[in-house]
Amino acid sequence: MPLLSGTTAQYVASAAALGAVTLARGGGVIHWNAEFILSLTWLVLVLSVGAILLLMRLLRDLPAARVNSLFYLVPPLAVLESWLLFGERLSAASLAGLALCVTGVALAAVPARPS
């Protein structure tokens, strides 16, 4: 199955299933305001569609094992985002974990030397 049409089918099926559950539970109320619309737009376009398109591009251009190692960058990036956006303090454990994850991904990215 082509990745783009397969992903679209998954999103449509998920939306239909969640819509049916919402209606079966008596519906829901959405308070449409700028904050909600911006958040929803970010979630749909960047975190869902953008992430899937980026993943497909990476899988097309790089070996799957190398792409898989990039998933280990999610926790350190979340730590940095919380520090940058929300002013959270970076503890020694957070910094050590960040360094460990980044080092591991860097090691996985180095091409193997022929023996």
Side-chain angles (χ1 to χ4, degrees), residues 20-108:
V21 169
T22 301
L23 291 175
R25 295 190 60 152
V29 177
I30 297 176
H31 300 285
W32 294 94
N33 56 37
E35 184 177 355
F36 173 76
I37 293 169
L38 288 173
S39 298
L40 184 63
T41 302
W42 175 262
L43 288 169
V44 170
L45 295 181
V46 176
L47 298 182
S48 292
V49 176
I52 292 297
L53 292 175
L54 177 61
L55 179 62
M56 289 189 304
R57 171 78 185 241
L58 288 170
L59 286 171
R60 185 186 72 195
D61 296 342
L62 299 171
R66 189 164 173 204
V67 172
N68 188 42
S69 71
L70 296 175
F71 283 101
Y72 290 100
L73 289 177
V74 172
L77 290 175
V79 167
L80 289 177
E81 283 182 56
S82 66
W83 170 72
L84 182 67
L85 298 175
F86 305 115
E88 290 190 20
R89 296 178 55 147
L90 295 178
S91 67
S94 296
L95 291 173
L98 189 146
L100 183 64
C101 289
V102 171
T103 302
V105 172
L107 290 172

